[in-house]
Coordinates of all heavy atoms in Angstrom, one line a residue:
M1 N 14.0 3.7 -33.0 CA 14.0 5.1 -32.6 C 13.7 5.2 -31.0 O 12.8 4.5 -30.6 CB 12.9 5.9 -33.4 CG 12.8 7.3 -33.0 SD 11.7 8.2 -34.1 CE 12.8 8.7 -35.3
A2 N 14.4 6.1 -30.4 CA 14.3 6.2 -29.0 C 13.1 7.0 -28.6 O 12.6 8.0 -29.4 CB 15.5 6.8 -28.3
S3 N 12.4 6.7 -27.5 CA 11.2 7.5 -27.1 C 11.7 8.5 -26.0 O 12.5 8.2 -25.2 CB 10.3 6.5 -26.4 OG 9.1 7.2 -25.8
V4 N 11.1 9.7 -26.0 CA 11.5 10.8 -25.1 C 10.3 11.2 -24.4 O 9.1 11.4 -25.0 CB 12.0 12.0 -25.8 CG1 12.3 13.1 -24.9 CG2 13.2 11.6 -26.7
S5 N 10.3 11.1 -23.1 CA 9.3 11.5 -22.2 C 9.4 13.0 -21.8 O 10.4 13.3 -21.2 CB 9.2 10.6 -20.9 OG 8.2 11.1 -20.1
L6 N 8.5 13.8 -22.2 CA 8.5 15.3 -21.8 C 7.4 15.6 -20.8 O 6.3 15.1 -20.8 CB 8.2 16.1 -23.1 CG 9.3 16.0 -24.2 CD1 8.9 16.8 -25.4 CD2 10.7 16.4 -23.7
S7 N 7.8 16.6 -20.1 CA 6.7 17.2 -19.1 C 7.0 18.7 -19.3 O 8.1 19.2 -19.7 CB 6.8 16.7 -17.8 OG 8.0 17.2 -17.1
V8 N 6.1 19.4 -18.7 CA 6.2 20.9 -18.8 C 7.5 21.3 -18.0 O 8.1 22.3 -18.4 CB 5.0 21.6 -18.1 CG1 5.1 23.1 -18.0 CG2 3.7 21.3 -18.9
S9 N 7.9 20.6 -16.9 CA 9.0 21.1 -16.1 C 10.3 20.8 -16.9 O 11.4 21.3 -16.5 CB 9.0 20.4 -14.8 OG 9.0 19.0 -14.9
T10 N 10.2 19.8 -17.9 CA 11.5 19.6 -18.6 C 11.7 20.4 -19.8 O 12.7 20.3 -20.5 CB 11.6 18.1 -18.9 OG1 10.5 17.8 -19.8 CG2 11.6 17.2 -17.8
V11 N 10.6 21.2 -20.3 CA 10.8 22.0 -21.4 C 11.2 23.3 -21.1 O 10.6 24.1 -20.3 CB 9.3 22.1 -22.1 CG1 9.5 23.1 -23.3 CG2 8.9 20.7 -22.6
K12 N 12.4 23.8 -21.6 CA 13.0 25.1 -21.3 C 13.2 25.8 -22.6 O 14.1 25.5 -23.4 CB 14.3 24.9 -20.6 CG 14.3 24.3 -19.3 CD 15.6 24.2 -18.5 CE 15.4 23.5 -17.2 NZ 16.7 23.1 -16.7
P13 N 12.3 26.9 -22.9 CA 12.4 27.5 -24.2 C 13.7 28.3 -24.3 O 14.3 28.7 -23.3 CB 11.2 28.5 -24.1 CG 10.3 28.0 -23.0 CD 11.2 27.3 -22.1
L14 N 14.2 28.5 -25.5 CA 15.5 29.1 -25.7 C 15.2 30.5 -26.3 O 14.2 30.8 -26.9 CB 16.3 28.3 -26.8 CG 16.8 27.0 -26.3 CD1 17.5 26.3 -27.5 CD2 17.6 27.0 -25.1
G15 N 16.2 31.5 -26.0 CA 16.0 32.8 -26.6 C 14.8 33.5 -26.2 O 14.4 33.5 -25.0
D16 N 14.0 34.1 -27.2 CA 12.7 34.9 -26.9 C 11.5 33.9 -27.0 O 10.4 34.4 -27.2 CB 12.7 36.0 -27.7 CG 12.4 35.8 -29.2 OD1 12.8 34.6 -29.6 OD2 11.9 36.6 -29.8
R17 N 11.8 32.6 -26.9 CA 10.5 31.7 -27.1 C 9.8 31.6 -25.8 O 10.4 31.7 -24.6 CB 11.0 30.3 -27.5 CG 11.7 30.2 -28.8 CD 10.8 30.1 -29.9 NE 11.4 29.6 -31.2 CZ 12.2 30.4 -32.0 NH1 12.5 31.5 -31.5 NH2 12.5 29.9 -33.1
V18 N 8.5 31.3 -25.9 CA 7.6 31.0 -24.7 C 6.8 29.8 -24.9 O 6.5 29.4 -26.1 CB 6.7 32.2 -24.3 CG1 7.5 33.4 -23.9 CG2 5.9 32.5 -25.5
F19 N 6.5 29.1 -23.9 CA 5.7 27.8 -23.8 C 4.3 28.2 -23.2 O 4.2 28.5 -22.1 CB 6.5 26.8 -23.1 CG 6.1 25.4 -23.4 CD1 6.1 24.8 -24.6 CD2 5.6 24.5 -22.4 CE1 5.7 23.6 -24.9 CE2 5.2 23.2 -22.6 CZ 5.4 22.7 -23.9
V20 N 3.3 28.0 -24.0 CA 2.0 28.5 -23.7 C 1.0 27.2 -23.6 O 0.9 26.5 -24.5 CB 1.4 29.5 -24.7 CG1 0.0 29.9 -24.4 CG2 2.3 30.7 -24.8
K21 N 0.3 27.1 -22.5 CA -0.8 26.1 -22.3 C -2.0 26.8 -22.9 O -2.5 27.8 -22.6 CB -0.9 25.7 -20.8 CG -2.0 24.8 -20.6 CD -2.2 24.5 -19.2 CE -3.4 23.4 -19.0 NZ -3.7 23.3 -17.5
V22 N -2.5 26.0 -24.0 CA -3.7 26.5 -24.7 C -5.0 26.3 -23.8 O -5.2 25.2 -23.3 CB -3.8 25.6 -26.0 CG1 -5.1 26.0 -26.8 CG2 -2.5 25.7 -26.9
S23 N -5.8 27.4 -23.9 CA -7.0 27.3 -23.2 C -8.0 26.6 -24.1 O -7.9 26.6 -25.3 CB -7.6 28.8 -23.0 OG -6.8 29.5 -22.2
P24 N -8.9 25.7 -23.4 CA -9.9 25.0 -24.2 C -10.8 25.9 -25.2 O -11.1 26.9 -24.7 CB -10.7 24.2 -23.3 CG -10.4 24.8 -21.9 CD -9.2 25.6 -22.1
S25 N -11.0 25.4 -26.3 CA -12.0 26.1 -27.2 C -13.4 26.0 -26.7 O -13.8 25.1 -26.0 CB -11.8 25.6 -28.7 OG -12.2 24.2 -28.7
E26 N -14.2 27.0 -27.2 CA -15.6 27.0 -26.9 C -16.3 25.9 -27.4 O -16.2 25.5 -28.6 CB -16.3 28.3 -27.5 CG -15.7 29.6 -26.8 CD -16.2 29.7 -25.3 OE1 -17.3 29.3 -24.9 OE2 -15.3 30.1 -24.4
E27 N -17.2 25.3 -26.7 CA -18.1 24.1 -27.1 C -19.4 24.5 -27.7 O -20.0 23.9 -28.5 CB -18.3 23.3 -25.9 CG -17.1 22.7 -25.3 CD -16.7 21.3 -25.6 OE1 -17.6 20.6 -26.1 OE2 -15.5 21.0 -25.5
K28 N -19.9 25.8 -27.3 CA -21.1 26.4 -27.8 C -20.9 27.8 -28.5 O -20.0 28.5 -28.1 CB -22.1 26.5 -26.7 CG -22.7 25.3 -26.1 CD -23.6 25.6 -25.0 CE -24.2 24.4 -24.4 NZ -25.3 24.7 -23.4
T29 N -21.8 28.1 -29.4 CA -21.8 29.5 -29.9 C -22.6 30.2 -28.9 O -23.2 29.8 -27.9 CB -22.6 29.4 -31.2 OG1 -24.0 29.0 -31.0 CG2 -21.9 28.6 -32.2
A30 N -22.7 31.7 -29.3 CA -23.3 32.5 -28.4 C -24.8 32.3 -28.4 O -25.5 32.5 -27.4 CB -23.1 33.9 -28.8
G31 N -25.3 31.7 -29.4 CA -26.8 31.3 -29.5 C -27.0 30.0 -28.9 O -28.2 29.5 -28.8
G32 N -26.0 29.2 -28.4 CA -26.3 28.0 -27.6 C -26.2 26.8 -28.5 O -26.5 25.6 -28.1
I33 N -25.7 26.9 -29.7 CA -25.5 25.7 -30.7 C -24.2 25.0 -30.3 O -23.2 25.6 -30.2 CB -25.5 26.2 -32.2 CG1 -26.8 26.9 -32.5 CG2 -25.2 25.0 -33.1 CD1 -26.8 27.5 -33.9
L34 N -24.3 23.6 -30.0 CA -23.1 22.9 -29.8 C -22.3 22.7 -31.1 O -22.8 22.4 -32.2 CB -23.5 21.6 -29.3 CG -24.1 21.5 -27.9 CD1 -24.6 20.0 -27.6 CD2 -23.0 21.9 -26.9
L35 N -21.0 22.9 -31.0 CA -20.1 22.7 -32.1 C -19.4 21.4 -32.2 O -18.9 21.0 -31.1 CB -19.0 23.9 -32.0 CG -19.5 25.3 -32.3 CD1 -18.3 26.2 -32.0 CD2 -20.0 25.6 -33.7
P36 N -19.4 20.8 -33.2 CA -18.5 19.5 -33.4 C -17.1 19.8 -33.4 O -16.7 21.0 -33.7 CB -19.0 18.9 -34.7 CG -19.5 20.0 -35.5 CD -20.1 21.0 -34.5
D37 N -16.2 18.9 -33.2 CA -14.8 19.1 -33.2 C -14.2 19.7 -34.4 O -13.3 20.5 -34.4 CB -14.0 17.8 -32.8 CG -14.2 17.4 -31.4 OD1 -14.5 18.3 -30.6 OD2 -14.1 16.2 -31.0
T38 N -14.8 19.3 -35.5 CA -14.3 19.8 -36.8 C -14.7 21.2 -37.1 O -14.0 21.9 -37.9 CB -14.9 18.9 -38.1 OG1 -16.4 18.9 -37.9 CG2 -14.4 17.5 -37.9
A39 N -15.7 21.8 -36.4 CA -16.0 23.2 -36.7 C -15.4 24.2 -35.6 O -15.5 25.4 -35.8 CB -17.6 23.2 -36.5
K40 N -14.7 23.6 -34.7 CA -14.1 24.6 -33.7 C -12.8 25.1 -34.3 O -12.0 24.5 -35.0 CB -13.7 23.7 -32.5 CG -14.8 23.2 -31.6 CD -14.3 22.4 -30.4 CE -15.6 21.7 -29.8 NZ -15.0 20.9 -28.7
E41 N -12.6 26.4 -33.9 CA -11.5 27.1 -34.4 C -10.3 26.9 -33.4 O -10.6 26.6 -32.2 CB -11.7 28.5 -34.5 CG -12.6 29.0 -35.6 CD -12.6 30.5 -35.9 OE1 -11.7 31.2 -35.4 OE2 -13.6 30.9 -36.5
K42 N -9.2 27.0 -33.8 CA -7.9 26.9 -32.9 C -8.0 28.1 -32.0 O -8.0 29.1 -32.4 CB -6.6 26.9 -33.9 CG -5.4 26.8 -33.0 CD -4.2 26.9 -34.0 CE -2.9 26.9 -33.1 NZ -1.8 27.2 -33.9
P43 N -7.9 27.8 -30.7 CA -7.9 28.8 -29.7 C -6.7 29.7 -29.9 O -5.7 29.3 -30.2 CB -7.9 28.2 -28.4 CG -7.7 26.7 -28.6 CD -7.7 26.5 -30.1
Q44 N -6.8 30.9 -29.5 CA -5.6 31.9 -29.6 C -5.3 32.5 -28.2 O -4.7 33.4 -28.1 CB -6.1 33.1 -30.5 CG -6.2 32.7 -31.9 CD -6.7 33.9 -32.7 OE1 -7.8 33.9 -33.1 NE2 -5.9 34.7 -33.1
V45 N -6.0 32.0 -27.2 CA -5.6 32.4 -25.8 C -5.0 31.3 -25.0 O -5.4 30.1 -25.2 CB -7.0 32.8 -25.1 CG1 -6.7 33.3 -23.6 CG2 -7.6 34.0 -25.9
G46 N -4.0 31.6 -24.2 CA -3.5 30.6 -23.3 C -2.7 31.2 -22.1 O -2.6 32.4 -22.0
E47 N -2.1 30.3 -21.3 CA -1.3 30.8 -20.1 C 0.1 30.3 -20.3 O 0.4 29.3 -20.6 CB -1.9 30.1 -18.9 CG -1.3 30.6 -17.7 CD -1.9 29.9 -16.4 OE1 -3.2 29.5 -16.5 OE2 -1.3 29.8 -15.3
I48 N 1.0 31.3 -20.0 CA 2.4 31.1 -20.0 C 2.8 30.0 -19.1 O 2.6 30.1 -17.9 CB 3.2 32.4 -19.8 CG1 2.8 33.4 -20.8 CG2 4.7 32.1 -19.9 CD1 3.2 33.3 -22.3
A49 N 3.4 28.9 -19.6 CA 4.0 27.9 -18.8 C 5.4 27.9 -18.6 O 5.9 27.5 -17.5 CB 3.5 26.5 -19.4
A50 N 6.2 28.4 -19.5 CA 7.6 28.6 -19.4 C 8.1 29.8 -20.3 O 7.4 29.9 -21.3 CB 8.4 27.3 -19.7
V51 N 9.1 30.4 -19.9 CA 9.7 31.5 -20.6 C 11.2 31.3 -20.8 O 11.9 30.9 -19.9 CB 9.4 32.9 -19.9 CG1 10.0 34.1 -20.7 CG2 8.0 33.0 -19.6
G52 N 11.7 31.7 -22.0 CA 13.1 31.6 -22.3 C 13.8 32.8 -21.6 O 13.1 33.7 -21.1
P53 N 15.1 32.8 -21.7 CA 15.9 33.8 -21.0 C 15.8 35.2 -21.7 O 16.2 36.2 -21.2 CB 17.3 33.3 -21.1 CG 17.4 32.4 -22.3 CD 16.0 31.8 -22.3
G54 N 15.4 35.3 -22.9 CA 15.3 36.6 -23.7 C 16.1 36.6 -24.9 O 17.0 35.8 -25.1
K55 N 15.7 37.5 -25.7 CA 16.5 37.8 -26.9 C 17.8 38.5 -26.8 O 17.9 39.3 -25.9 CB 15.6 38.6 -27.9 CG 16.0 38.8 -29.3 CD 15.0 39.6 -30.1 CE 15.5 39.9 -31.4 NZ 14.5 40.7 -32.2
R56 N 18.9 38.1 -27.5 CA 20.1 38.8 -27.5 C 20.1 40.0 -28.3 O 19.5 40.0 -29.5 CB 21.2 37.9 -27.9 CG 21.5 36.7 -27.1 CD 23.1 36.7 -26.9 NE 23.3 35.5 -26.1 CZ 23.8 35.6 -24.9 NH1 24.1 36.8 -24.4 NH2 24.1 34.5 -24.1
S57 N 20.6 41.2 -27.8 CA 20.6 42.3 -28.5 C 21.9 42.4 -29.3 O 22.7 41.5 -29.3 CB 20.5 43.6 -27.5 OG 21.6 43.6 -26.7
E58 N 22.1 43.5 -30.1 CA 23.4 43.6 -31.0 C 24.6 43.6 -30.1 O 25.6 43.2 -30.6 CB 23.2 44.7 -31.9 CG 22.1 44.5 -33.0 CD 22.1 45.7 -33.9 OE1 23.1 46.5 -34.0 OE2 21.1 45.9 -34.6
D59 N 24.6 44.2 -29.0 CA 25.8 44.2 -28.1 C 26.0 42.9 -27.3 O 27.0 42.9 -26.5 CB 25.7 45.6 -27.3 CG 24.7 45.4 -26.1 OD1 23.9 44.5 -26.1 OD2 24.6 46.4 -25.4
G60 N 25.2 41.9 -27.5 CA 25.3 40.6 -26.8 C 24.6 40.5 -25.5 O 24.5 39.4 -24.9
S61 N 24.0 41.6 -24.9 CA 23.2 41.5 -23.8 C 21.9 40.9 -24.0 O 21.4 40.9 -25.1 CB 23.1 42.9 -23.0 OG 22.4 43.8 -23.9
R62 N 21.2 40.5 -22.9 CA 19.9 39.9 -23.1 C 18.8 40.9 -22.8 O 18.8 41.7 -21.9 CB 19.7 38.7 -22.2 CG 20.4 37.5 -22.5 CD 19.6 36.2 -22.5 NE 20.5 35.1 -22.7 CZ 20.3 34.3 -23.8 NH1 19.5 34.5 -24.7 NH2 21.0 33.2 -23.9
Q63 N 17.7 40.9 -23.6 CA 16.6 41.7 -23.4 C 15.6 40.9 -22.6 O 15.2 39.7 -23.1 CB 16.0 42.2 -24.7 CG 16.8 43.1 -25.5 CD 16.2 43.5 -26.8 OE1 15.5 42.8 -27.4 NE2 16.5 44.7 -27.3
E64 N 15.2 41.2 -21.4 CA 14.2 40.4 -20.7 C 12.9 40.4 -21.3 O 12.3 41.4 -21.8 CB 14.1 41.1 -19.3 CG 13.4 40.1 -18.3 CD 13.9 40.4 -16.8 OE1 15.1 40.8 -16.7 OE2 13.0 40.3 -16.1
P65 N 12.2 39.2 -21.4 CA 10.8 39.0 -21.9 C 9.9 39.9 -21.3 O 10.0 40.1 -20.0 CB 10.6 37.5 -21.7 CG 11.9 36.9 -21.4 CD 12.8 38.0 -20.7
E66 N 8.9 40.4 -21.9 CA 7.8 41.2 -21.4 C 6.8 40.3 -20.5 O 6.0 41.0 -19.8 CB 7.2 42.0 -22.4 CG 8.0 43.1 -23.1 CD 7.3 43.9 -23.9 OE1 6.2 44.4 -23.6 OE2 7.8 44.2 -25.1
V67 N 6.7 39.0 -20.9 CA 5.7 38.2 -20.2 C 6.4 37.3 -19.2 O 7.6 37.1 -19.1 CB 5.1 37.3 -21.3 CG1 4.3 38.0 -22.2 CG2 6.0 36.4 -22.0
K68 N 5.6 36.8 -18.3 CA 6.2 35.9 -17.2 C 5.2 34.8 -17.1 O 4.1 34.7 -17.6 CB 6.3 36.6 -15.9 CG 4.9 37.3 -15.3 CD 5.3 38.1 -14.1 CE 4.0 38.7 -13.5 NZ 3.2 39.5 -14.3
I69 N 5.7 33.7 -16.4 CA 4.9 32.5 -16.1 C 3.6 32.9 -15.4 O 3.7 33.6 -14.4 CB 5.8 31.5 -15.3 CG1 6.9 31.1 -16.1 CG2 4.9 30.4 -14.9 CD1 7.9 30.1 -15.4
G70 N 2.5 32.4 -15.9 CA 1.2 32.6 -15.3 C 0.4 33.7 -16.0 O -0.9 33.8 -15.8
D71 N 1.0 34.5 -16.9 CA 0.3 35.5 -17.7 C -0.7 34.8 -18.6 O -0.3 33.9 -19.3 CB 1.3 36.4 -18.5 CG 1.9 37.4 -17.6 OD1 1.6 37.6 -16.4 OD2 2.9 38.0 -18.1
K72 N -1.9 35.4 -18.8 CA -2.8 34.9 -19.8 C -2.5 35.8 -21.0 O -2.4 37.0 -20.9 CB -4.2 35.0 -19.4 CG -4.6 33.9 -18.4 CD -6.1 33.9 -18.3 CE -6.4 32.9 -17.2 NZ -6.8 31.6 -17.7
V73 N -2.3 35.1 -22.2 CA -2.0 36.0 -23.4 C -2.9 35.6 -24.6 O -3.4 34.5 -24.7 CB -0.5 35.7 -23.8 CG1 0.4 36.2 -22.7 CG2 -0.2 34.3 -24.0
L74 N -3.0 36.5 -25.5 CA -3.6 36.3 -26.8 C -2.5 36.3 -27.8 O -1.6 37.2 -27.8 CB -4.4 37.6 -27.1 CG -5.2 37.7 -28.5 CD1 -6.2 36.5 -28.5 CD2 -5.9 38.9 -28.6
Y75 N -2.3 35.2 -28.7 CA -1.4 35.1 -29.6 C -1.9 34.9 -31.1 O -3.1 34.7 -31.2 CB -0.4 33.9 -29.3 CG -1.1 32.6 -29.1 CD1 -1.3 31.7 -30.1 CD2 -1.5 32.2 -27.8 CE1 -1.9 30.5 -30.0 CE2 -2.2 31.0 -27.7 CZ -2.4 30.1 -28.6 OH -2.9 28.9 -28.5
S76 N -1.0 35.2 -32.0 CA -1.4 35.0 -33.4 C -1.9 33.6 -33.8 O -1.5 32.7 -33.2 CB -0.1 35.3 -34.3 OG 0.3 36.6 -34.1
K77 N -2.9 33.6 -34.6 CA -3.7 32.4 -34.9 C -2.8 31.3 -35.5 O -3.0 30.2 -35.0 CB -4.7 32.7 -36.0 CG -5.8 31.7 -36.1 CD -6.9 32.2 -37.0 CE -8.1 31.3 -36.7 NZ -9.4 31.9 -37.0
Y78 N -1.9 31.6 -36.4 CA -1.1 30.4 -37.0 C 0.4 30.5 -36.5 O 1.2 30.0 -37.2 CB -1.2 30.5 -38.5 CG -2.6 30.3 -39.0 CD1 -3.3 31.5 -39.5 CD2 -3.3 29.2 -38.9 CE1 -4.7 31.5 -39.9 CE2 -4.6 29.1 -39.4 CZ -5.3 30.2 -39.8 OH -6.5 30.0 -40.3
A79 N 0.6 31.0 -35.4 CA 2.0 31.1 -34.9 C 2.4 29.9 -34.0 O 1.5 29.2 -33.6 CB 2.1 32.4 -34.0
G80 N 3.6 29.6 -33.9 CA 4.2 28.6 -33.1 C 4.1 27.2 -33.5 O 3.6 26.9 -34.7
T81 N 4.5 26.3 -32.7 CA 4.6 24.8 -32.9 C 3.7 24.1 -31.9 O 3.9 24.4 -30.7 CB 5.9 24.3 -32.8 OG1 6.8 24.9 -33.7 CG2 6.0 22.8 -33.1
D82 N 2.7 23.4 -32.4 CA 1.7 22.8 -31.5 C 2.4 21.5 -30.8 O 3.0 20.8 -31.5 CB 0.4 22.3 -32.1 CG -0.4 23.5 -32.8 OD1 -0.3 24.6 -32.1 OD2 -1.0 23.4 -33.8
I83 N 2.3 21.4 -29.5 CA 2.9 20.2 -28.8 C 1.8 19.7 -27.9 O 1.1 20.4 -27.1 CB 4.1 20.7 -28.0 CG1 5.1 21.3 -28.9 CG2 4.7 19.5 -27.2 CD1 6.3 21.9 -28.2
K84 N 1.6 18.4 -27.8 CA 0.7 17.8 -26.9 C 1.4 16.9 -25.9 O 2.2 16.0 -26.3 CB -0.2 16.8 -27.7 CG -1.4 16.4 -26.9 CD -2.5 15.8 -27.8 CE -3.7 15.5 -26.9 NZ -4.9 15.0 -27.7
L85 N 1.3 17.2 -24.6 CA 1.9 16.5 -23.6 C 0.8 15.9 -22.7 O 0.1 16.6 -22.0 CB 2.8 17.4 -22.7 CG 4.0 18.2 -23.3 CD1 4.7 19.1 -22.3 CD2 4.9 17.2 -23.9
G86 N 0.6 14.6 -22.8 CA -0.4 14.0 -22.1 C -1.8 14.3 -22.8 O -1.9 14.2 -23.9
T87 N -2.7 14.9 -22.0 CA -3.9 15.4 -22.5 C -4.0 16.9 -22.7 O -4.9 17.4 -23.3 CB -5.1 14.9 -21.6 OG1 -4.8 15.6 -20.3 CG2 -5.2 13.4 -21.5
E88 N -2.9 17.5 -22.3 CA -2.8 19.0 -22.4 C -2.2 19.5 -23.8 O -1.2 18.7 -24.2 CB -1.9 19.6 -21.3 CG -2.6 19.2 -19.9 CD -3.8 20.0 -19.6 OE1 -4.0 21.1 -20.1 OE2 -4.6 19.4 -18.8
E89 N -2.7 20.6 -24.3 CA -2.1 21.0 -25.5 C -1.4 22.2 -25.2 O -1.8 23.2 -24.4 CB -3.2 21.3 -26.5 CG -3.9 20.1 -27.0 CD -4.9 20.5 -28.2 OE1 -4.7 21.5 -28.9 OE2 -5.8 19.6 -28.3
Y90 N -0.1 22.5 -25.9 CA 0.7 23.6 -25.6 C 1.1 24.2 -27.0 O 1.0 23.5 -28.1 CB 2.0 23.3 -24.9 CG 1.6 22.8 -23.5 CD1 1.4 21.5 -23.2 CD2 1.7 23.7 -22.4 CE1 1.1 21.0 -21.8 CE2 1.5 23.3 -21.2 CZ 1.2 22.0 -20.8 OH 0.9 21.6 -19.6
V91 N 1.6 25.4 -27.0 CA 2.2 26.1 -28.2 C 3.5 26.7 -27.8 O 3.6 27.3 -26.8 CB 1.3 27.1 -28.8 CG1 1.9 27.8 -29.9 CG2 -0.1 26.5 -29.2
L92 N 4.6 26.4 -28.6 CA 5.9 26.9 -28.4 C 6.0 28.0 -29.4 O 5.9 27.8 -30.7 CB 7.0 25.9 -28.5 CG 8.4 26.4 -28.3 CD1 8.6 26.8 -26.9 CD2 9.3 25.2 -28.6
L93 N 6.0 29.3 -29.0 CA 6.1 30.3 -30.0 C 7.1 31.4 -29.6 O 7.6 31.4 -28.5 CB 4.8 30.9 -30.2 CG 3.8 31.3 -29.0 CD1 4.1 32.7 -28.6 CD2 2.4 31.1 -29.5
S94 N 7.4 32.3 -30.5 CA 8.3 33.4 -30.2 C 7.5 34.5 -29.5 O 6.3 34.7 -29.8 CB 8.8 34.0 -31.6 OG 9.8 35.0 -31.3
E95 N 8.3 35.2 -28.7 CA 7.6 36.3 -28.0 C 6.9 37.4 -28.9 O 5.8 37.9 -28.6 CB 8.6 37.0 -27.0 CG 7.9 38.1 -26.2 CD 8.9 38.8 -25.2 OE1 10.1 38.8 -25.5 OE2 8.4 39.3 -24.2
K96 N 7.5 37.5 -30.0 CA 6.9 38.5 -31.0 C 5.6 38.2 -31.6 O 4.8 38.9 -32.1 CB 7.9 38.8 -32.2 CG 8.0 37.5 -33.1 CD 8.9 37.9 -34.2 CE 9.1 36.5 -34.9 NZ 9.4 36.5 -36.3
D97 N 5.2 36.8 -31.4 CA 3.8 36.4 -31.9 C 2.8 36.5 -30.8 O 1.6 36.3 -31.1 CB 3.9 34.9 -32.1 CG 4.9 34.7 -33.5 OD1 4.8 35.5 -34.4 OD2 5.5 33.6 -33.5
I98 N 3.1 37.0 -29.6 CA 2.1 37.4 -28.6 C 1.7 38.8 -28.9 O 2.4 39.7 -29.0 CB 2.8 37.3 -27.2 CG1 3.3 35.8 -26.9 CG2 1.8 37.8 -26.2 CD1 4.0 35.7 -25.6
L99 N 0.3 38.9 -29.0 CA -0.3 40.1 -29.3 C -0.7 40.9 -28.1 O -0.6 42.2 -28.2 CB -1.6 39.9 -30.1 CG -1.4 39.0 -31.4 CD1 -2.8 38.7 -32.0 CD2 -0.5 39.7 -32.4
A100 N -1.1 40.3 -27.0 CA -1.5 41.1 -25.8 C -1.5 40.2 -24.6 O -1.7 38.9 -24.7 CB -2.9 41.7 -26.0
I101 N -1.4 40.7 -23.5 CA -1.6 40.2 -22.1 C -3.1 40.4 -21.7 O -3.5 41.5 -21.8 CB -0.7 40.8 -21.0 CG1 0.8 40.3 -21.5 CG2 -0.9 40.1 -19.7 CD1 1.8 40.9 -20.5
V102 N -3.8 39.3 -21.5 CA -5.2 39.4 -21.1 C -5.4 39.3 -19.6 O -4.8 38.4 -18.9 CB -6.0 38.2 -21.8 CG1 -7.5 38.4 -21.4 CG2 -5.7 38.2 -23.3
D103 N -6.1 40.3 -19.0 CA -6.4 40.3 -17.6 C -7.5 39.4 -17.2 O -8.5 39.1 -17.8 CB -6.7 41.6 -17.0 CG -5.4 42.4 -17.1 OD1 -4.3 41.9 -17.0 OD2 -5.6 43.7 -17.2

């Protein structure tokens, strides 16, 4: 089987897909208790690393995505496909799975 080397610059999402760099999860609770790796929840916040050209409408034109590279977003908990490039974690998901842009 051939090996493929990927980097963020070589990943180009198609359609209305976006490539999100996952923000690291919290290591402590609000009360200061350290969490082991098995108790940590999957983070739902990340930064847009790449954006597809947009979804095609019924007349064949493209609808421009509402998000752009660099936006911090909140996305659905179980959405997308998890991808690990080097030590960084990413999620490839559809624009409809993005819930909000976080300032």
